[in-house]
Amino acid sequence: MRPRTWVLVLAAVFAVLQLANVTGRATPDTKNYLSYAMSLRGASTREAATVAIDYSCASQGANARRDQSVNPLNFHGKDPAARVAKKCRDAEWRGVNARLRAGQTGGFITPFTSERFMRIFEVRPGYPVFLVPFVTLLGPVWGMWSASVVLTVAGGVLVFLILRTLSVSVPLALTGQALYYVLPCGTTSMRPMTEGLMTALTLAAVWGCALVLKGRRTRAGLALVGGSLVLLFTVKHSQSLFLGLCLAGAGALVAVGRWRRGRAPGRALVTVAALGATAALGTLVLAGALHYPSQTDSLQDLLTDHYARPDRTRLWPEFLHLEANFWLEWTRQQLWQPMLAAALGAGVWGAVRRPAFGVFLIGAAFTGVLTQAAHPDISVWGGRLIVLVWLLPVVGVPLLLESVVRGKAVVGVGGPVPTPVPGQGVGPGFGEHAQSVRRGGA
């Protein structure tokens, strides 16, 4: 089959597997995004609230049913789904009605919590806008599911395109696509939250960097980098800031490295760094002009349980104390279960095989560390805040494997080349690797 066919087959297999969990994916924040999307398509406050609450509470009911079915003490009991969903709906409506009566009617999102907390979600219109056509055509349940599938499939396809741009063989590029689906980046992207769209846009920017470094379709690469940074501002402006800083730093490092070796950095590379710096500075200026929640607001949200308690008076000392404790505990847990550490080690090993591109890849993955550092909350389920670090093994491991295959190809190029047997050939990707060795990789 052609490479594009294999890409579609992998994507289709992944989508079919996700049919096992059409319901039960909602998180506490999902109802905010769904309510936002319903308001954007013209629903009234109560209509948007009804759809969002029903979706979220049905998800709780589905999870309660699944939990009971495997409970050794109560697996034969009455199905709790209806009772749990009704209790959830009653509690949500009590809170919403009380806030509506109190006059909390501004914005696009149903007032599920305080106005101060809802402001955090009001400044993220990108994901709700993306949801609108899906929930309009397919309804909330299948619309939210299909939107998540599309975003996750797109992320895997972008990984494939990045690796092919770097002249990695088709089998190893498909390996990267598969890794994206099975590692936590794929699992997190399937949750109905901003992470799926945020990760896909980050990968689009990385693809743009790969195109620029390889000198292929440079204008398209620059457009991908700039467009992704702009769109990220609408999805989660902190990611636009972090990615902009990391791309600017990576571009500067590569440019200095080329200059020290007596090579011109190249206008396109300088442009990538400039785009990153402009995005970082523009995010700060525009967020301030639009009165977006500040870093202080974010820290108060963290330390007051979403503003449920009085504001902290010693904000920064307490935050730094929590930060130190968080990373100590996080490191202890990673050493206990070193899957992430091993994956990151392999990813870095593969990234350094392509030094110029590797700097940009490490920079993009490092935005996950920055996001986690800004929210040192060990109770956040699934490691979704730091999920972008998984892009490093997703792309880096195929690069590492490719370097091994390329090393074997070098032997063929420098010495006797195996004679193809009729009907067999010398192995998938051999010609590509031999050409890559002669050209030199990014």
Side-chain angles (χ1 to χ4, degrees):
M1 293 190 291
R2 294 181 177 181
R4 70 184 66 177
T5 305
W6 281 112
V7 170
L8 294 175
V9 167
L10 268 181
V13 170
F14 173 79
V16 169
L17 293 177
Q18 301 316 301
L19 289 171
N21 291 282
V22 177
T23 59
R25 293 183 183 272
T27 72
D29 294 341
T30 298
K31 60 180 180 290
N32 298 321
Y33 296 114
L34 180 54
S35 171
Y36 202 155
M38 295 302 296
S39 296
L40 289 175
R41 57 167 294 200
S44 67
T45 300
R46 288 200 168 273
E47 289 171 342
T50 299
V51 171
I53 290 174
D54 287 350
Y55 177 84
S56 181
C57 293
S59 181
Q60 288 190 27
N63 287 330
R65 179 192 302 116
R66 293 166 185 168
D67 291 342
Q68 179 178 292
S69 68
V70 291
N71 186 326
L73 302 180
N74 199 29
F75 64 91
H76 44 60
K78 184 179 179 181
D79 186 348
R83 173 177 53 81
V84 170
K86 182 179 184 303
K87 181 179 179 181
C88 170
R89 287 194 299 271
D90 291 343
E92 291 288 354
W93 275 114
R94 278 197 301 271
V96 169
N97 287 329
R99 293 184 185 90
L100 289 175
R101 287 193 299 269
Q104 188 178 331
T105 57
F108 288 95
I109 305 177
T110 301
F112 295 111
T113 58
S114 68
E115 188 173 0
R116 194 177 176 189
F117 182 59
M118 299 311 298
R119 178 64 177 162
I120 295 174
F121 299 94
E122 289 279 355
V123 301
R124 300 175 183 176
Y127 181 58
V129 168
F130 177 81
L131 290 177
V132 168
F134 292 94
V135 297
T136 300
L137 295 175
L138 302 174
V141 175
W142 285 101
M144 297 292 281
W145 178 86
S146 58
S148 297
V149 169
V150 168
L151 287 174
T152 311
V153 165
V157 172
L158 283 166
V159 171
F160 176 87
L161 292 172
I162 291 168
L163 291 168
R164 290 297 293 153
T165 299
L166 298 173
S167 301
V168 174
S169 66
V170 171
L172 291 178
L174 291 169
T175 299
Q177 182 186 359
L179 284 174
Y180 183 83
Y181 295 150
V182 303
L183 289 177
C185 45
T187 304
T188 303
S189 293
M190 276 302 301
R191 300 173 71 189
M193 295 183 69
T194 57
E195 276 74 20
L197 183 53
M198 184 180 72
T199 305
L201 289 172
T202 301
L203 282 169
V206 174
W207 184 29
C209 294
L211 290 170
V212 169
L213 290 171
K214 294 294 288 186
R216 301 176 182 175
R217 293 174 290 173
T218 301
R219 290 184 180 180
L222 294 175
L224 278 171
V225 174
S228 298
L229 289 169
V230 170
L231 291 175
L232 278 170
F233 182 85
T234 70
V235 175
K236 197 173 183 181
H237 66 279
S238 61
Q239 179 62 12
S240 181
L241 171 64
F242 294 153
L243 185 60
L245 288 173
C246 289
L247 292 184
L253 283 175
V254 175
V256 169
R258 289 182 175 181
W259 176 76
R260 293 183 62 182
R261 291 193 299 272
R263 295 175 54 193
R267 183 181 300 177
L269 178 61
V270 173
T271 303
V272 170
L275 285 172
T278 301
L281 180 61
T283 296
L284 293 175
V285 172
L286 191 56
L290 296 174
H291 304 291
Y292 278 16
S294 65
Q295 181 63 35
T296 299
D297 294 321
S298 178
L299 298 187
Q300 290 288 6
D301 167 56
L302 171 71
L303 297 174
T304 61
D305 190 22
H306 306 311
Y307 307 114
R309 300 180 181 183
D311 282 6
R312 301 295 181 94
T313 56
R314 300 178 63 253
L315 181 62
W316 283 99
E318 291 191 23
F319 172 73
L320 294 176
H321 189 177
L322 176 63
E323 188 82 49
N325 290 348
F326 171 85
W327 287 111
L328 284 173
E329 175 61 17
W330 185 87
T331 303
R332 186 192 67 79
Q333 292 186 10
Q334 299 309 312
L335 294 177
W336 178 31
Q337 298 176 316
M339 174 63 185
L340 177 58
L344 291 179
V348 170
W349 193 0
V352 298
R353 301 287 179 167
R354 303 292 186 96
F357 173 77
V359 173
F360 284 96
L361 175 61
I362 292 172
F366 188 68
T367 60
V369 177
L370 293 176
T371 301
Q372 183 69 82
H375 304 82
D377 187 353
I378 205 74
S379 66
V380 174
W381 181 83
R384 68 176 178 84
L385 294 176
I386 203 172
V387 69
L388 285 166
V389 300
W390 286 98
L391 298 185
L392 189 52
V394 164
V395 180
V397 167
L399 290 176
L400 177 60
L401 296 174
E402 185 262 355
S403 69
V404 175
V405 177
R406 185 175 64 183
K408 295 179 180 179
V410 170
V411 176
V413 173
V417 179
T419 302
V421 178
Q424 292 184 7
V426 296
F430 178 89
E432 290 178 357
H433 288 299
Q435 293 172 11
S436 177
V437 172
R438 297 185 189 107
R439 289 194 304 264

